[in-house]
Structure formats: structure tokens, C-alpha cells
Amino acid sequence: MAGGGDAARTVTTTMLPSDQVIILDGGLATELEARGHDLSGKLWSARVLRDEPEAIEEAHLAFFRAGAQVAITASYQASFAGFADVGVAPEEASALLRRSVELARRAQARRRTESPDGPPLYVAASIGPFGATRADGSEYRGDYGVSRDELADFHGPRLAALVAAGPDLLAIETLPSLEEASVVVERLAAHPGVRAWVSFTCRNDREIADGTEVETAIAAACASEQVIAVGFNCIDPGLVEPLLVRAAAVTSLPFVVYPNDGRTWDAGARQWDGSAQGFDAATVRRWRDLGAGLIGGCCGVRPETIRQISEGLSG
């Protein structure tokens, strides 16, 4: 990874040595909700990006203070189409996408001031799936009912706006389908030199959410030289190990894993069901030993869990 600016164009896997792990942040929306912010609308955390940007900066800072080295921006649900649905013009939507990167950069700068001798810190611009803007759970299924061209029209302008904001890399995340992964990676090719990780959400330990075999999905993502890591996010923690074993049969790239806290999203009730799980030191070390070079958490994971991951990997 690179530290920012022009260096972002020279991101390589050499920054991910086999004996080290880069710690990602956790669930940004989870942290915002825990801090009392309303995410009940269709925009989810993108609403806070528009209306309470300082809250996002503080949430990023909390994860950095807990040991995260990467802040994933508040652009997961942010899109031109989603903002248009609530009356936000394209120019303002573009500014809000840029703001998501700027807020993470501010938190990064503050943490560097607090801990000048700390590890390198990075900003990854989130490229969430098409389904995230529908707020109907389709991001966990991939059954959008839209054409490939429609997916390209959705992802292309947002990706371009985020690249222009200058993140260190892109987090192409929670992808539920092979087709959507293919479309986003194709759009990525329009920005030579920009690097990304690609992570899928899965229905079980053999298939991503749309039923495609994990090996096929991973191979498709790895076809681009701009992709520096592949893996899985917003999955049950118990799926991580078998998925990593399958992925390792396809590629030697570093893996990125950031599961949720073990609960299941009920889109109709708009709530998480089940019991939360922690990530003990032995578990995250096994992930590392199976090739995970970037480890963090997704929905339900707050700074304290990121602290536990960081301490577990350093112990």
C-alpha cells in the first residue's frame, strides 16, 4: 500500500510481507449507531456523510486509536443514484463522495499527530455493491434483476469520483455476484495504476452469495493486475477458514478478511438476528497463517474488537 497522493499509483503487494498483517477497521455504521446517530433511512451511513460529517471523522479516529491501520470510507451506500432519490444533485453527490475520503484523511492526520511513531495508516475508498443502495438485502443475494450495462452505469461514475479524491486504494467490497465483480473490475481498468482489493460475501463455505463457486469468483477477481488482495467480508466468522482454504487453491495473492460479528441481517425487519461472536487471538492467527494479509471486521464490529484483533496478532 501507499501513504497517499501520487504514491497511491504505485501500490504493490510488497507492502504485505508474509509475516505481517495490516489491521483494517470495523463496522463504521455500527459505530455510528452506537454513538447515537440515526441510520434508519435509505441512505444509511451516507446520510451521516451528508448531514453530520464530523461524526464520521470521529468514528474513523476511534478505529485508528484501537489499532486499525486502514480506514474504509463512508461511501459504501453512497452513490449518484441513491443521492438522486433523496433530491441530491450530481454535483453535490460527487462532492459528498470526495468528502468521504477527506474525512478519513483528517482522522488519519490526527492519529499520526497523536502517534507519530505508529505504524503506517491508509485510506481505502469503499466501493459497495449495487444492492446496498436498495436497502432490501439484495446485496447479500445478488439478485438485482438489472443488466450488465446498468451495473456499469451505476459503478463507473462513483468509482471515478472516488479515485479522483485520492485514496490509497479501493475497497471493492461485499460483492454478492460474479457478474458484479466482473463489471467493477472492468471499470477499474479505466484508472490505470489504481489498486484495489476485491472481497465477496458468501452464502456458505463453498459459494459466494449468488451461488458461484468461490474458486471461480476469486479467479475472476485475480485476473486484474490492479487487484492486490482478494477475500471475503460481511460473512459469519466461522466461514473464514474454509473459504481461505478454497481461495488458496486459486491464487497466492494476500487475502483480505473482515467478517461480521456472526449475526444475520433481516432485511424486512431491518435488524440483525442471532448472537454476536468475538474474534479470539487463536482464531485471527489461524486466518493469518492461512494467508490473510489484511484482517478486520464488518457489521457489528466496534473498536474494542479491532483492538483485540491487533493485540492478538502482535502477541
Side-chain angles (χ1 to χ4, degrees):
M1 295 184 185
D6 290 342
R9 303 296 184 258
T10 59
V11 177
T12 71
T13 55
T14 59
M15 296 300 294
L16 295 171
S18 60
D19 61 342
Q20 295 182 26
V21 172
I22 290 181
I23 308 300
L24 309 181
D25 61 8
L28 183 63
T30 297
E31 185 61 15
L32 290 170
E33 284 188 313
R35 291 166 174 251
H37 299 282
D38 180 14
L39 306 186
S40 61
K42 189 175 181 181
L43 288 178
W44 300 80
S45 58
R47 199 279 305 166
V48 185
L49 175 64
R50 181 189 64 183
D51 299 339
E52 302 175 90
E54 67 287 344
I56 289 175
E57 180 181 338
E58 293 299 327
H60 284 316
L61 183 60
F63 282 115
F64 277 139
R65 286 171 171 165
Q69 294 171 256
V70 181
I72 303 174
T73 64
S75 50
Y76 178 80
Q77 285 101 356
S79 69
F80 287 96
F83 280 129
D85 286 346
V86 294
V88 176
E91 295 79 7
E92 184 182 356
S94 183
L96 288 169
L97 287 164
R98 292 195 302 272
R99 177 186 286 177
S100 72
V101 175
E102 292 163 1
L103 292 169
R105 286 286 188 215
R106 290 180 197 172
Q108 177 192 47
R110 290 171 65 185
R111 183 56 184 161
R112 282 175 170 166
T113 299
E114 292 176 350
S115 182
D117 297 325
L121 304 178
Y122 309 101
V123 171
S126 174
I127 306 290
F130 176 85
T133 65
R134 288 185 162 182
D136 63 356
S138 59
E139 67 202 278
Y140 300 112
R141 302 187 304 270
D143 54 350
Y144 303 146
V146 299
S147 70
R148 188 179 183 88
D149 286 345
E150 288 174 295
L151 286 174
D153 289 343
F154 172 83
H155 282 292
R158 178 175 62 159
L159 193 153
L162 287 167
V163 166
D168 295 312
L169 76 167
L170 305 179
I172 301 173
E173 56 181 351
T174 328
L175 296 184
S177 75
L178 180 63
E179 180 174 59
E180 187 164 24
S182 174
V183 167
V184 181
V185 170
E186 283 181 3
R187 295 299 91 197
L188 179 64
H191 306 279
V194 175
R195 300 295 184 257
W197 77 61
V198 175
S199 60
F200 295 93
T201 187
C202 301
R203 63 166 61 173
N204 53 44
D205 63 3
R206 305 177 308 281
E207 302 165 320
I208 66 171
D210 73 345
T212 300
E213 289 187 350
V214 164
E215 293 89 341
T216 301
I218 292 294
C222 292
S224 170
E225 292 185 357
Q226 293 175 255
V227 174
I228 64 165
V230 290
F232 313 99
N233 78 290
C234 215
I235 58 171
D236 187 285
L239 295 178
V240 171
E241 291 178 46
L243 287 170
L244 286 176
V245 170
R246 288 183 175 275
V250 177
T251 182
S252 59
L253 279 179
F255 298 127
V256 54
V257 292
Y258 47 120
N260 58 35
D261 66 358
R263 294 177 295 166
T264 302
W265 178 248
D266 183 333
R270 293 175 66 88
Q271 67 181 24
W272 289 94
D273 294 334
S275 300
Q277 303 174 30
F279 307 153
D280 61 32
T283 296
V284 295
R285 288 172 186 164
R286 286 197 301 272
W287 299 348
R288 176 198 60 194
D289 294 344
L290 287 169
L294 303 99
I295 298 176
C298 201
C299 300
V301 176
R302 298 192 62 199
E304 182 53 38
T305 299
I306 297 303
R307 189 182 309 280
Q308 293 168 4
I309 291 174
S310 179
E311 292 174 352
L313 289 169
S314 63

